Amino acid sequence: MRRELNSSLSQSWAIQRRIIFALVMREALTRYGRHNIGFLWLFVEPMIFTVGITIFWTFTKAAHGSDLPIVPFAITGYSSVLVWRNIPGRLSNAVLPNVGIMHHRNVRLIDIYFARLLLETSGVSMSFLFLTLAFWVVEWTALPEDVLQVLSGWLLLNWFGWSMGLLIGSLSEQTEIIEKIWHPATYFLFPLSGAAFIADALPPAFRDFVLWLPMVHCVEYIREGFFGSAFVAHYDLGYVVTCCCVMSVAGFLNVNYVANRVVLQ
Amino acid sequence: MIRFEQVSKRYPLGHGQRVVLQDVNLEIARGEKVGILGRNGSGKSTTIRLLSGAELPSAGRVVRDMTVSWPLAFGGAFQSSLTGRDNLRLICRIYGKDHEDCIDFVSDFSELGAYLDEPIRNYSSGMSARLAFAISMVIEFDCFLIDEVVAVGDSRFHQKCHEELFVKRIDRSFVIVSHDTEYIRHHCDIVLVLRDSTFHRFSSIDEAIENYVSN
């Protein structure tokens, strides 16, 4: 209803692509500017975090409960954290700084969300890719045994991040409590998220508990793609897909609800 | 044509809600110049945002078959950390225009010179108003929305704006919301008074202005 009434679906799609591109460019420019390395910060920033954690875990010989090589273990683990933790954070309270641009009718809330989602996903994905390649070149890690499985696991994890983002982002416009809860929740979720352990090393009762968290399944699946038969992975892709579907539908519905009531002044 | 069909707009408040428009009907035909007079807080800007489609009505329907501008010379749509040129790029991308075709006009019209490559936060209010107006003239619309008087800059610049808007684009529709009766009198064929959440219609412009002034 927001777009030109007589425009066809393909025209709307063309407009939406154009808008999202414009917003991505603006977001990248306002966040990183043209100074020093500019756009490169998009993935250098997550790379710094991941390298920091990798070094830290290497020296502390983090007890991840297996004999998996620590470098790829840290890269897969921490890159995954960046996906489910940063995306909802980036989508929280996104309306206020975008009130001006939303005076242009074709710029809708969902476009602003999509622009931020695309930026976030591409930043973390490039960081994941470049770090794997860089550590492979210096022979600190091997390449994944099954690249396709790593890729599909990564996509699934990002789907989870996107649906979580749409939900948290839109809810944050309705009540301030959401951001106040989500921020500490990320701290509690981090040690449970599968980043720093493999599920097989946990006591069965505790393992069943953490497997309620969809991201644990994703990390296990990605690591199985990485390390192959070196450990026993625990995951249920059907469960993750179901969670993502439910959260995506809820997320889109709530984004729509919020967008129809957005107040620009 | 833009048409309000039984449009209501309510904003939630801390407790209860504020009714800005209640079951209003309005039609703006192609080429028509409509002025809306209203006191502060009467709902003029809300009307503009509903016309442009930036906000949706709480009830009723807004139908349009013309392209409608954003509120003209509205600088709020700018990113203050970006340069004038980057802001032009952004607007051009949003409306699917090549900014290379527009940069000469904007540079010439806004008279910003080297400031075009400075972040907007370094602009004076006159400079950002000039840029805003120049960028507004780059995208063509069937209907232009004007929130308050477009009297930016000095009188020479004011004259340039007048030329660009009311001479070159006299075939378009205009909706002007203001509390400046003389500005509305000079530019509009139809004048409505916005009061008590509804539009009041009068048989002549003078009558509308007199009603507005005396209430």
Side-chain angles (χ1 to χ4, degrees):
Chain A
M1 282 301 285
R2 300 291 293 273
R3 313 252 192 229
E4 298 303 320
L5 279 171
N6 52 357
S7 72
S8 69
L9 206 62
S10 69
Q11 276 172 317
S12 302
W13 168 232
I15 295 173
Q16 185 153 30
R17 260 193 342 225
R18 199 170 75 207
I19 303 278
I20 292 171
F21 174 69
L23 293 174
V24 164
M25 295 305 285
R26 181 202 60 158
E27 190 84 14
L29 210 52
T30 48
R31 253 167 73 187
Y32 308 111
R34 289 202 176 87
H35 307 298
N36 54 67
I37 61 168
F39 283 5
L40 298 182
W41 279 117
L42 180 62
F43 54 87
V44 170
E45 206 179 334
M47 274 168 80
I48 292 172
F49 271 104
T50 316
V51 167
I53 286 287
T54 306
I55 293 171
F56 185 66
W57 284 2
T58 304
F59 280 102
T60 54
K61 304 232 175 356
H64 53 288
S66 73
D67 47 10
L68 295 179
I70 191 77
V71 168
F73 179 83
I75 297 175
T76 49
Y78 202 71
S79 298
S80 304
V81 172
L82 291 176
V83 172
W84 62 259
R85 192 189 61 189
N86 288 12
I87 289 179
R90 188 62 68 188
L91 263 60
S92 293
N93 302 317
V95 170
L96 194 60
N98 285 298
V99 157
I101 201 75
M102 285 169 77
H103 275 89
H104 303 280
R105 175 160 47 110
N106 283 338
V107 179
R108 303 173 312 162
L109 184 58
I110 192 72
D111 302 324
I112 288 165
Y113 284 157
F114 275 143
R116 291 188 168 195
L117 288 169
L118 281 172
L119 264 181
E120 223 41 53
T121 283
S122 46
V124 188
S125 302
M126 280 191 279
S127 154
F128 184 31
L129 177 70
F130 292 160
L131 283 178
T132 306
L133 291 176
F135 282 120
W136 171 65
V137 168
V138 298
E139 294 181 340
W140 286 16
T141 180
L143 288 182
E145 283 186 20
D146 185 345
V147 174
L148 209 61
Q149 182 172 346
V150 173
L151 187 68
S152 45
W154 185 251
L155 288 177
L156 193 60
L157 178 67
N158 275 275
W159 181 14
F160 174 71
W162 282 44
S163 53
M164 193 81 188
L166 292 175
L167 208 51
I168 298 283
S170 57
L171 284 169
S172 77
E173 302 300 335
Q174 293 166 305
T175 164
E176 294 161 15
I177 298 167
I178 285 298
E179 215 206 353
K180 300 217 184 329
I181 292 174
W182 174 248
H183 191 64
T186 58
Y187 282 84
F188 301 127
L189 285 172
F190 176 69
L192 302 177
S193 69
F197 60 77
I198 58 167
D200 200 49
L202 301 177
F206 187 48
R207 182 196 308 147
D208 289 344
F209 172 71
V210 297
L211 281 173
W212 282 103
L213 298 170
M215 55 273 210
V216 179
H217 299 255
C218 298
V219 183
E220 289 280 308
Y221 188 68
I222 291 169
R223 282 189 176 143
E224 190 185 52
F226 227 100
F227 304 112
S229 46
F231 77 113
V232 180
H234 295 262
Y235 56 81
D236 177 354
L237 295 187
Y239 173 70
V240 181
V241 170
T242 309
C243 286
C244 289
C245 283
V246 171
M247 286 168 60
S248 298
V249 170
F252 275 116
L253 286 175
N254 203 44
V255 170
N256 196 42
Y257 181 90
V258 169
N260 286 341
R261 283 160 188 77
V262 80
V263 179
L264 295 187
Q265 226 155 30
Chain B
M1 162 277 288
I2 313 174
R3 196 166 58 228
F4 279 14
E5 294 175 356
Q6 292 294 110
V7 164
S8 296
K9 184 67 184 173
R10 300 179 284 268
Y11 290 112
L13 295 177
H15 8 245
Q17 55 183 5
R18 194 169 90 85
V19 179
V20 181
L21 293 175
Q22 182 72 50
D23 298 323
V24 295
N25 293 294
L26 176 68
E27 178 155 341
I28 291 138
R30 206 168 274 265
E32 217 164 43
K33 319 283 185 282
V34 178
I36 299 173
L37 285 166
R39 303 280 172 204
N40 284 336
S42 59
K44 298 190 299 292
S45 297
T46 301
T47 304
I48 286 284
R49 289 197 296 273
L50 290 171
L51 284 168
S52 80
E55 285 186 21
L56 297 178
S58 311
R61 220 154 71 98
V62 180
V63 184
R64 54 176 85 71
D65 67 0
M66 321 190 265
T67 56
V68 186
S69 79
W70 69 89
L72 219 61
F74 171 73
F78 287 159
Q79 205 73 32
S80 67
S81 59
L82 296 184
T83 66
R85 191 187 298 271
D86 282 333
N87 273 287
L88 171 65
R89 275 205 190 100
L90 171 63
I91 300 293
C92 283
R93 284 195 184 114
I94 286 176
Y95 289 93
K97 228 171 135 57
D98 188 350
H99 93 282
E100 294 292 336
D101 301 342
C102 311
I103 188 69
D104 289 342
F105 171 83
V106 169
S107 163
D108 186 55
F109 195 89
S110 64
E111 301 170 21
L112 283 169
Y115 268 93
L116 209 50
D117 291 305
E118 285 292 322
I120 295 212
R121 73 168 93 84
N122 297 344
Y123 288 19
S124 69
S125 58
M127 289 162 84
S128 41
R130 261 150 47 203
L131 178 74
F133 191 87
I135 292 183
S136 300
M137 289 298 104
V138 154
I139 316 289
E140 291 299 339
F141 295 101
D142 302 325
C143 178
F144 286 93
L145 304 178
I146 302 168
D147 196 346
E148 294 302 323
V149 183
V150 193
V152 295
D154 53 22
S155 60
R156 194 178 58 90
F157 188 76
H158 191 182
Q159 188 52 42
K160 270 170 64 176
C161 293
H162 180 86
E163 173 79 18
E164 213 36 67
L165 201 56
F166 295 109
V167 179
K168 289 191 187 164
R169 289 173 178 75
I170 196 65
D171 57 324
R172 314 299 165 79
S173 306
F174 290 97
V175 179
I176 305 175
V177 301
S178 183
H179 41 230
D180 183 334
T181 52
E182 284 318 294
Y183 190 79
I184 293 251
R185 189 198 297 277
H186 279 122
H187 294 109
C188 300
D189 320 321
I190 300 164
V191 178
L192 306 173
V193 175
L194 176 53
R195 190 191 302 126
D196 302 328
S197 313
T198 192
F199 298 115
H200 299 270
R201 291 168 173 78
F202 300 91
S203 49
S204 74
I205 294 179
D206 287 333
E207 209 180 307
I209 289 176
E210 194 179 320
N211 179 287
Y212 170 71
V213 171
S214 60
N215 274 281

